[in-house]
């Protein structure tokens, strides 16, 4: 028996809330469902302004999701140097970057066929 999993929409909403809680910057949602052979349905990408900020975003996402739906990421990678932290929630993968690392790897460019939604922040950057 599989425990009741939250819907992707609910998970995305909670992740975005966690990012907003600590003022993550330049938030994009990439919908990968129309692309063949992808490992997940959605990417959420944002940046922090320093390694401390990146870790704060990651921590806020984990707390927000865990508190609301008792779910935790299947895998988290990159927390040590906090330049690019990947959080794998299976159907939704979160990438939290420092700005210069995000620009270098250009995930949005690599996944150019994805439908990109820029998420408006409720605060000024």
């Amino acid at each position: 028996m599989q425990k009741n999993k939250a819907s992707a929409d609910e998970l995305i909403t909670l992740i975005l809330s966690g990012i907003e809680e600590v003022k993550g910057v330049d938030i994009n949602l990439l919908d990968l469902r129309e692309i063949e052979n992808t490992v997940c349905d959605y990417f959420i990408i944002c940046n922090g302004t320093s390694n401390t900020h990146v870790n704060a975003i990651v921590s806020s996402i984990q707390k927000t999701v865990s508190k609301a739906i008792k779910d935790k990421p299947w895998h988290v990678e990159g927390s040590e140097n906090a330049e690019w932290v990947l959080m794998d929630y299976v159907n939704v993968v979160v990438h939290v970057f420092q700005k210069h690392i995000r620009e270098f790897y250009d995930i949005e460019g690599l996944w150019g066929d994805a439908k990109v939604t820029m998420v408006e922040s409720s605060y000024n950057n």
Side-chain angles (χ1 to χ4, degrees):
M1 285 290 275
Q2 188 178 6
K3 66 180 181 183
N4 215 356
K5 281 284 182 197
S7 71
D9 288 347
E10 184 180 8
L11 181 58
I12 289 166
T13 301
L14 291 167
I15 290 168
L16 293 175
S17 174
I19 294 169
E20 293 237 333
E21 183 72 28
V22 290
K23 297 183 171 25
V25 183
D26 293 332
I27 308 163
N28 282 341
L29 172 65
L30 276 64
D31 184 342
L32 308 172
R33 292 175 298 177
E34 301 292 316
I35 302 172
E36 286 183 32
N37 303 320
T38 56
V39 293
C40 64
D41 291 340
Y42 298 95
F43 279 169
I44 296 176
I45 304 172
C46 71
N47 354 319
T49 55
S50 66
N51 56 351
T52 305
H53 191 208
V54 166
N55 279 330
I57 294 167
V58 170
S59 178
S60 178
I61 291 168
Q62 287 177 312
K63 280 186 202 138
T64 303
V65 171
S66 176
K67 193 172 167 184
I69 59 173
K70 311 284 186 269
D71 198 3
K72 59 183 190 222
W74 178 72
H75 187 72
V76 177
E77 197 165 310
S79 300
E80 305 77 39
N81 62 6
E83 291 184 336
W84 175 4
V85 179
L86 182 141
M87 305 174 73
D88 186 349
Y89 281 96
V90 185
N91 277 345
V92 180
V93 173
V94 185
H95 300 270
V96 184
F97 286 99
Q98 287 189 43
K99 186 175 176 62
H100 66 286
I101 301 294
R102 180 176 181 176
E103 289 169 354
F104 180 80
Y105 285 102
D106 188 25
I107 299 286
E108 290 95 336
L110 289 173
W111 294 91
D113 293 344
K115 181 177 162 227
V116 178
T117 305
M118 292 176 145
V119 179
E120 290 294 322
S121 301
S122 56
Y123 49 84
N124 295 329
N125 294 337

